[in-house]
C-alpha cells in the first residue's frame, strides 16, 4: 500500500506543478511557430518538426487571446550555459518563447539569443543577431548548453518514478515473500525480463550480473515511450542523443565483459585460413564497435520519431483537409485515424523497449559465451 | 528531399517489405506446423525483424 501512496503523492506533486503553471505572454508575434493557432499545411509541418525537437520550455498548450496576444500555458525550465565568462544560469521564460533570435537576454555582460531551440552567444559589442542569406547567424556562436530541457526533465521524472517503484519492490522482497499493491504489477514484468530476455540470451552462468542493467534499460525506454504518447508532449526516446547514450552503455558493457574467446574470435578468428584472418578482424571490429551500437541507436530513434510524426500528421489532417471535407468531417477522420495509430504506437512502445533490451542481452551474451573447443 | 533520395527511400522500403514478408510468412508456416513452439518462433522472428528494421532505418537515415 505504501508504494501506491508514494506514487500517488508523487503524482500529486507533479500535477500541482503542472496546474500551478504560469500563463505567460509570448512576443505577440503572429509568425511565432511555437504552437498557437495553426491553420495551413506549412504551419502543421513546422509544428511537427518543432515537436520532434527538444525544447527549452515546457509548454502544454498555447492560444491567441482577444487582443491578438499569444499566450503559452506551461512552465519555464532553467537554462545552464558554460560560456567564455564561466557558468551562466537563467530561466527560459526570459526569452518570452521567441525562437528566431529577436529576443536578446543579457547576463554577466554577455548577450544570448535562442534560434531554433539552440542558444547562441552574441559576439562582444553586438546587440542583435544578424543573418546571412542562408539564415545563419553571422555575429553569434553556439555555447555549451547543459540546460534542463524538456527531455532532461522527462528523464529526471522517469528516474524518480522508477526509483520509487523499484525501491518499494526491493524493500518488500526483503520483508516477505509476496509483494503487495502496485509492486504486484511490476513483479511479472521484472520476471519476464529476467526469464525471457536475460536468461536465455546471456546463459545460466552469467545472466545475474547483467539483469540489473537490462531491467533498467527496459523500464526506462518503455516508460519514456509511453510518456511520449501522452499529451504532455515528451519526445525523449526520439532524441538521437538519448538513444546514442543508451547504445554506448551497452557497448561499454559488452566490451568490458568480453572474455578471451570473444576477443579471439574478433581479432584472430580460429578455423579459417590465416590469410583471411586479418580481413575478418577488420570486419569483426567494425561490426562490434560501430555497427552493433549504431543499429541499436538508430532503430529506437527512428521508430519513435516516425511514430510521433505519423500521429501528429494524422492529427494535422484536421487542418489540411478542412477546406475539402468541412470542419466536422476532417476532425472525425483525423480522430479515427490517429486513434488507431495511437493504439499501434502503444504496441510499438513496448516492442522497441523489448527489442533494445533483447539485442543488448544478445550482444552481452555473445561477449561472455564460453566455447568448448574439442 | 530530392528525387534520387525519394527513389532510394522507395527501394529501401520495397526491400524491407519483401524481407519482413518472408520472415512473417515463414514464422506463420512454422507456427502452423508446430503450434507448441509458438513462443520460441515468435521471439526469433522479432529479433530477425528488428535486425532487418535496423538495416532499413540505417539506410533511410544515411540517405537523408
Amino acid at each position: 500500500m505504501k508504494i501506491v501512496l508514494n506514487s500517488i503523492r508523487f503524482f500529486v506533486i507533479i500535477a500541482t506543478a503542472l496546474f500551478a503553471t504560469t500563463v505567460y505572454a509570448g512576443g505577440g508575434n503572429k509568425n511565432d511557430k511555437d504552437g498557437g493557432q495553426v491553420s495551413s499545411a506549412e504551419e502543421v509541418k513546422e509544428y511537427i518538426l518543432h515537436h520532434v525537437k527538444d525544447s527549452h520550455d515546457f509548454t502544454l498548450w498555447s492560444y491567441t487571446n482577444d487582443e491578438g496576444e499569444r499566450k503559452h500555458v506551461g512552465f519555464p525550465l532553467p537554462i545552464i550555459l558554460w560560456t567564455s565568462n564561466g557558468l551562466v544560469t537563467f530561466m527560459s521564460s526570459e526569452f518570452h518563447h521567441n525562437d528566431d533570435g529577436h529576443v536578446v537576454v543579457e547576463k554577466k555582460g554577455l548577450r544570448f539569443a535562442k534560434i531554433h531551440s539552440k542558444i547562441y552567444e552574441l559576439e562582444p559589442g553586438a546587440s542583435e543577431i544578424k543573418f546571412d542569406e542562408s539564415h545563419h547567424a553571422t555575429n553569434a556562436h553556439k555555447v555549451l548548453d547543459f540546460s534542463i530541457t524538456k527531455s532532461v526533465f522527462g528523464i529526471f521524472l522517469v528516474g524518480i518514478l522508477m526509483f520509487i517503484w523499484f525501491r518499494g519492490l526491493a524493500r518488500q522482497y526483503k520483508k516477505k515473500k509476496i509483494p503487495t499493491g502496485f509492486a504486484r504489477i511490476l513483479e511479472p514484468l521484472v520476471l519476464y525480463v529476467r526469464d525471457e530476455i536475460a536468461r536465455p540470451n546471456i546463459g545460466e552462468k552469467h545472466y545475474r550480473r547483467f539483469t540489473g542493467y537490462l531491467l533498467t534499460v527496459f523500464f526506462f525506454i518503455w516508460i519514456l515511450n509511453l510518456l511520449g504518447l501522452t499529451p504532455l508532449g515528451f519526445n525523449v526516446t526520439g532524441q538521437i542523443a538519448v538513444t546514442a547514450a543508451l547504445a554506448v552503455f551497452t557497448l561499454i558493457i559488452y566490451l568490458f565483459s568480453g572474455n578471451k574467446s570473444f576477443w579471439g574470435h574478433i581479432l584472430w578468428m580460429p578455423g579459417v585460413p590465416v590469410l583471411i584472418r586479418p580481413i575478418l578482424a577488420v570486419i569483426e571490429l567494425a561490426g562490434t564497435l560501430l555497427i552493433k551500437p549504431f543499429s541499436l541507436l538508430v532503430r529506437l530513434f527512428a521508430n519513435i520519431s516516425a511514430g510521433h510524426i505519423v500521429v501528429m500528421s494524422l492529427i494535422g489532417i484536421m487542418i489540411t483537409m478542412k477546406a475539402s471535407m468541412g470542419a466536422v468531417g476532417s476532425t472525425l477522420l483525423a480522430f479515427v485515424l490517429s486513434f488507431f495509430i495511437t493504439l499501434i504506437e502503444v504496441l510499438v512502445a513496448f516492442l522497441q523497449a523489448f527489442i533494445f533490451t533483447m539485442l543488448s542481452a544478445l550482444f552481452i551474451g555473445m561477449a561472455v559465451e564460453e566455447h568448448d573447443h574439442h | 528531399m530530392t528525387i534520387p533520395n525519394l527513389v532510394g527511400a522507395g527501394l529501401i522500403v520495397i526491400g524491407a517489405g519483401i524481407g519482413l514478408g518472408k520472415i512473417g510468412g515463414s514464422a506463420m508456416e512454422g507456427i502452423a506446423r508446430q503450434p507448441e513452439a509458438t513462443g520460441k518462433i515468435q521471439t526469433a522472428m522479432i529479433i530477425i525483424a528488428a535486425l532487418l528494421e535496423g538495416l532499413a532505418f540505417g539506410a533511410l537515415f544515411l540517405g537523408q
Side-chain angles (χ1 to χ4, degrees):
Chain A
M1 235 13 244
K2 196 153 181 217
I3 184 127
V4 176
L5 283 179
N6 274 343
S7 319
I8 290 171
R9 206 174 299 147
F10 179 71
F11 273 119
V12 167
I13 292 167
I14 293 299
T16 325
L18 289 179
F19 285 112
T21 50
T22 43
V23 179
Y24 45 114
N29 187 354
K30 262 269 167 194
N31 300 320
D32 197 350
K33 290 297 185 295
D34 191 17
Q37 197 165 353
V38 178
S39 49
S40 72
E42 288 80 48
E43 281 177 335
V44 171
K45 201 175 164 188
E46 204 136 349
Y47 189 81
I48 292 172
L49 289 178
H50 190 273
H51 163 80
V52 168
K53 279 197 291 186
D54 203 358
S55 135
H56 283 91
D57 298 288
F58 199 110
T59 306
L60 291 169
W61 68 87
S62 56
Y63 59 95
T64 311
N65 69 4
D66 296 339
E67 282 93 56
E69 266 182 308
R70 177 67 50 79
K71 296 277 188 189
H72 297 270
V73 181
F75 49 90
L77 293 166
I79 289 180
I80 303 160
L81 302 169
W82 184 257
T83 62
S84 42
N85 277 8
L87 203 66
V88 176
T89 53
F90 54 95
M91 293 306 275
S92 66
S93 52
E94 298 198 25
F95 282 121
H96 298 292
H97 283 276
N98 182 281
D99 207 29
D100 49 13
H102 288 305
V103 174
V104 174
V105 176
E106 198 168 344
K107 284 273 142 58
K108 271 197 178 179
L110 297 169
R111 293 195 173 90
F112 301 99
K114 185 158 71 97
I115 309 166
H116 298 309
S117 301
K118 296 269 188 298
I119 309 242
Y120 286 74
E121 182 192 328
L122 273 69
E123 307 295 350
S127 60
E128 65 175 60
I129 286 206
K130 291 190 180 67
F131 297 101
D132 58 12
E133 294 91 58
S134 51
H135 208 73
H136 288 296
T138 50
N139 59 348
H141 60 269
K142 280 183 196 164
V143 286
L144 276 179
D145 190 352
F146 299 102
S147 305
I148 310 292
T149 58
K150 203 174 180 180
S151 295
V152 178
F153 180 77
I155 290 171
F156 283 166
L157 193 73
V158 172
I160 297 168
L161 212 61
M162 277 172 64
F163 182 74
I164 295 172
W165 287 351
F166 291 101
R167 206 179 69 107
L169 181 62
R171 205 172 42 204
Q172 292 191 9
Y173 276 127
K174 263 184 195 160
K175 267 190 284 183
K176 48 191 183 296
K177 272 197 169 153
I178 302 166
T180 53
F182 186 70
R184 271 197 194 166
I185 300 171
L186 295 175
E187 194 197 47
L189 293 166
V190 171
L191 289 183
Y192 176 77
V193 173
R194 191 193 69 183
D195 293 337
E196 304 294 325
I197 299 178
R199 209 196 287 253
N201 288 305
I202 301 180
E204 204 60 46
K205 206 171 158 193
H206 297 286
Y207 80 94
R208 277 182 163 273
R209 271 197 291 156
F210 303 106
T211 306
Y213 170 70
L214 295 175
L215 282 169
T216 313
V217 148
F218 177 79
F219 283 102
F220 182 75
I221 296 175
W222 190 30
I223 297 171
L224 279 175
N225 284 350
L226 288 177
L227 213 56
L229 295 173
T230 61
L232 292 177
F234 283 113
N235 183 23
V236 185
T237 35
Q239 305 293 334
I240 199 154
V242 175
T243 59
L246 291 171
V248 166
F249 288 151
T250 301
L251 174 72
I252 289 172
I253 288 176
Y254 73 68
L255 281 187
F256 284 94
S257 53
N259 58 17
K260 223 168 101 186
S261 112
F262 169 69
W263 288 107
H265 276 78
I266 287 175
L267 299 171
W268 207 242
M269 181 75 83
V272 294
V274 177
L275 281 176
I276 297 178
R277 287 183 187 187
I279 304 168
L280 272 180
V282 173
I283 296 170
E284 286 282 331
L285 268 181
T288 316
L289 296 176
L290 289 173
I291 298 170
K292 277 178 184 172
F294 187 74
S295 74
L296 273 182
L297 81 92
V298 168
R299 177 179 307 109
L300 184 57
F301 158 74
N303 262 297
I304 303 303
S305 294
H308 278 243
I309 292 171
V310 166
V311 170
M312 293 196 72
S313 307
L314 290 176
I315 294 173
I317 283 180
M318 201 186 301
I319 292 141
T320 51
M321 302 281 273
K322 200 176 168 189
S324 54
M325 292 181 71
V328 177
S330 62
T331 311
L332 210 63
L333 183 67
F335 172 75
V336 171
L337 289 177
S338 55
F339 178 72
F340 286 107
I341 281 292
T342 308
L343 288 185
I344 294 175
E345 285 301 313
V346 174
L347 177 72
V348 169
F350 175 78
L351 205 64
Q352 289 309 315
F354 171 75
I355 295 230
F356 194 99
T357 320
M358 175 68 114
L359 288 177
S360 293
L362 207 68
F363 295 157
I364 294 169
M366 282 174 176
V368 298
E369 189 185 11
E370 275 153 29
H371 296 273
D372 35 337
H373 292 290
H374 309 287
Chain B
M1 270 185 130
T2 57
I3 304 256
N5 278 12
L6 291 172
V7 172
L11 288 175
I12 294 163
V13 172
I14 289 172
I18 293 172
L20 280 174
K22 289 200 96 157
I23 297 163
S26 317
M28 280 284 189
E29 214 167 279
I31 291 170
R33 279 168 199 236
Q34 230 168 347
E36 66 274 13
T38 308
K40 276 184 183 172
I41 292 172
Q42 261 170 358
T43 313
M45 179 186 78
I46 287 173
I47 291 175
I48 306 287
L51 290 173
L52 173 73
E53 191 190 48
L55 196 73
F57 271 131
L60 282 177
F61 188 69
L62 291 177
Q64 277 257 310

